[in-house]
Amino acid sequence: MQSTFGASAQGTHAVLPSESDPYHYQAGFGNRFASEAIPGTLPFAQNTPRRVKYDLYTEGINGTPFVTPRRDNQSVWLYRIRPSVAHQGFSPLPDNPHLESCFLPLNPKVHFSPTQLAWHPFDIPSDNNKTDFVSGLKTLAGNGEPTLREGLAVHIYAANEPMAKRAFINNDGDFLILPQQGRLDIQTELGRLMVRPGEFIVIQRGIKFKVGLPDGPVRGYILEIFGSHFELPDLGPLGTHGLANTRDFESPVASFDLDQSPWEVVYKVGGKLFSCKQEHTPFDVVAWHGNYVPYKYALEKFAHVGSINKDHIDPSIFCVLTAKSKTPGAPLADFLIFSGRWDVATGTFRPPFYHRNCATEMMGLIYGDYGGRSDAFAPGGFSFENGFCPHGVSYDEFKKATETELPPMRVHDGTMAFMFESAMQLTLTDYAMKRTGKLHEHEPKMWDNLKGQFINHLDEINADLKAAGLPPLGLKP
């Protein structure tokens, strides 16, 4: 009898290497992955066997408290050549004067601003100033403080030197890293990820990593959150799919080195830096399983939604990731993007309408052009708008949008802009306000021509009032 068999997969789906990214990845968001650099290494049906294959050491990392409900619990089991406890102790490092962690008003090094602020593109270190990723961290703004386990920090990074035999571990919060110039070749305990401009990576609290610079000098943005983890926003009536789809997130596969030479691991604890020396690489995990795993995402994969007949939908439709605060319905942080899409609403003022938002907004540009602003908004720059600070497009953009009925059209093609948004009140650092050399206020003259055109219609208005049996303007009834 002739067989009807077709074919069977030889394994799970994997994201394969490309010309710009040499690494393999596992696909999915929040999955409990398992990965072995040497097949058969993971213990069978248990986590902590008496003796692990090849005499590896078992090490667990918990990203949430033990008793967190299972649906939210995050952890990973590592099977490694030497455990993290094999080190030579800790010593404090000199303070980085540009790195801030306490954003409470009692800190004299942070400031409030009621107005719109912007920064021209931040400088990249000169060739004679060798700076790696850790040394190139600078804080712009934030809320709260790491020991309170609720808050956030917004940093920039600029570097021209790979980290070599130096690793970094952030005990304070999760990093969302957005390259703007140059790829980042990131080695983590759980594997390697190549992250280009147009992608981001999330590295959770307590996971060691190092950053290489395959394209030379780099610059980018970081959103750090304290006390929470990033998650996908609920889709509500959108249903099952849309925005950032789960299958488009990519996590590393196990990868290890055999290096038994001196290394330094830099710990960030309460905003302070500490050095830990050890006689072996921290990147020696042969196999692992769990869901506390770094991941990356290509922003061009975002599935935009929007109005297909009239008016605007709230900008929450641009949300890629969110992080909850302790207050229900008030996000600690949202990460939004604005990129190429169709705009088809008819009879509608299409640019962002003038508004005063209870959230604080910080916006940056990865590539392209984001017009209608007063601040020569360029890739590598940044802007800040405090809660309830009025903002919107320039008069010229308003005029164009109100005088002509626009056809269906593409907007923001070739552009990738983003926003860090928070329901929290943010303070700005000394570095942001005094030392960047790039700070400038938005030019309010861009709105000077938004005159009270209502006054030009008084005759028409009074005629309408008379027809309605009402007194004209200027007379008391």
Side-chain angles (χ1 to χ4, degrees):
M1 182 177 178
Q2 185 176 2
S3 172
T4 59
F5 174 75
S8 292
Q10 299 302 301
T12 59
H13 170 71
V15 180
L16 301 178
S18 66
E19 185 176 344
S20 60
D21 187 340
Y23 304 131
H24 289 79
Y25 300 96
Q26 305 176 85
F29 185 90
N31 298 24
R32 287 196 172 270
F33 294 111
S35 187
E36 303 172 308
I38 300 176
T41 300
L42 286 172
F44 178 73
Q46 65 177 126
N47 298 319
T48 55
R50 182 176 61 84
R51 190 170 181 178
V52 181
K53 194 171 184 179
Y54 309 123
D55 284 329
L56 295 170
Y57 293 89
T58 302
E59 185 172 293
I61 302 177
N62 287 82
T64 52
F66 294 125
V67 295
T68 297
R70 179 173 287 201
R71 67 181 180 274
D72 300 319
N73 209 298
Q74 297 185 37
S75 63
V76 65
W77 289 102
L78 313 177
Y79 302 92
R80 63 191 316 155
I81 296 172
R82 295 191 70 182
S84 295
V85 293
H87 63 76
Q88 298 169 338
F90 294 83
S91 58
L93 288 170
D95 284 344
N96 176 346
H98 305 314
L99 194 62
E100 186 57 69
S101 65
C102 179
F103 304 98
L104 305 177
L106 55 81
N107 181 359
K109 296 186 293 183
V110 298
H111 314 276
F112 291 101
S113 173
T115 189
Q116 294 173 291
L117 300 174
W119 292 263
H120 296 300
F122 299 97
D123 288 336
I124 292 174
S126 61
D127 291 342
N128 59 4
N129 179 18
K130 298 301 183 184
T131 305
D132 68 12
F133 177 85
V134 176
S135 302
L137 292 172
K138 297 176 172 67
T139 311
L140 297 177
N143 170 267
E145 196 267 341
T147 63
L148 299 177
R149 302 310 310 139
E150 182 167 67
L152 62 96
V154 176
H155 314 277
I156 58 161
Y157 69 86
N160 59 8
E161 184 88 344
M163 287 177 65
K165 293 195 174 185
R166 193 184 197 208
F168 182 67
I169 178 170
N170 184 4
N171 280 20
D172 293 336
D174 292 7
F175 266 0
L176 186 157
I177 305 172
L178 270 170
Q180 183 275 313
Q181 176 177 317
R183 289 177 299 166
L184 302 181
D185 188 354
I186 298 179
Q187 185 175 16
T188 76
E189 294 178 273
L190 289 92
R192 299 170 182 265
L193 306 93
M194 186 72 74
V195 190
R196 60 167 174 82
E199 295 180 321
F200 69 81
I201 181 172
V202 170
I203 303 177
Q204 293 89 340
R205 177 184 177 215
I207 293 179
K208 298 169 193 168
F209 68 96
K210 62 173 281 190
V211 177
L213 314 180
D215 302 326
V218 297
R219 177 176 59 199
Y221 310 90
I222 299 174
L223 174 60
E224 179 183 13
I225 54 171
F226 313 136
S228 184
H229 294 300
F230 290 106
E231 57 189 70
L232 293 171
D234 290 333
L235 293 180
L238 290 182
T240 309
H241 310 293
L243 309 186
N245 288 310
T246 55
R247 65 164 291 187
D248 292 326
F249 289 81
E250 300 173 6
S251 290
V253 296
S255 172
F256 68 94
D257 295 336
L258 295 172
D259 187 351
Q260 299 295 301
S261 63
W263 275 74
E264 179 189 31
V265 180
V266 177
Y267 283 71
K268 184 165 83 75
V269 183
K272 304 294 184 182
L273 299 180
F274 298 85
S275 174
C276 178
K277 301 293 180 65
Q278 58 185 54
E279 295 299 317
H280 58 98
T281 177
F283 306 113
D284 63 356
V285 176
V286 178
W288 58 266
H289 70 90
N291 66 346
Y292 198 57
V293 185
Y295 55 85
K296 74 168 189 169
Y297 176 79
L299 296 170
E300 296 88 352
K301 295 180 179 179
F302 190 78
H304 282 288
V305 299
S307 173
I308 57 174
N309 63 346
K310 62 183 178 182
D311 285 349
H312 286 264
I313 301 178
D314 287 336
S316 48
I317 61 171
F318 301 112
C319 186
V320 181
L321 292 177
T322 187
K324 293 177 180 175
S325 74
K326 297 175 182 177
T327 303
L332 173 63
D334 287 333
F335 170 55
L336 298 81
I337 64 164
F338 311 99
S339 59
R341 62 191 186 275
W342 282 98
D343 199 344
V344 301
T346 56
T348 296
F349 181 74
R350 287 191 186 169
F353 48 89
Y354 298 110
H355 61 289
R356 293 175 294 156
N357 187 356
C358 64
T360 302
E361 302 176 357
M362 298 193 75
M363 190 168 177
L365 187 59
I366 304 298
Y367 55 78
D369 176 67
Y370 198 84
R373 300 170 60 99
S374 67
D375 54 359
F377 196 46
F382 218 39
S383 69
F384 171 89
E385 287 157 344
N386 210 339
F388 295 108
C389 176
H391 52 287
V393 296
S394 67
Y395 169 75
D396 291 338
E397 290 294 315
F398 172 83
K399 195 170 188 301
K400 284 192 296 185
T402 54
E403 292 186 350
T404 305
E405 180 63 50
L406 298 174
M409 61 191 296
R410 297 283 301 176
V411 295
H412 300 317
D413 277 335
T415 292
M416 185 63 69
F418 72 89
M419 182 180 291
F420 299 150
E421 186 174 87
S422 176
M424 306 298 184
Q425 177 79 49
L426 270 60
T427 55
L428 294 150
T429 64
D430 266 354
Y431 171 74
M433 298 296 285
K434 302 176 182 179
R435 297 198 297 270
T436 66
K438 305 295 181 180
L439 175 65
H440 62 102
E441 291 189 13
H442 280 260
E443 177 51 71
K445 291 181 180 178
M446 67 186 283
W447 299 298
D448 278 356
N449 288 326
L450 293 170
K451 305 295 186 182
Q453 303 296 339
F454 179 87
I455 305 302
N456 298 332
H457 297 271
L458 289 182
D459 290 344
E460 177 187 357
I461 294 166
N462 284 331
D464 290 341
L465 290 172
K466 182 178 180 181
L470 297 171
L473 294 181
L475 296 179
K476 293 183 178 181

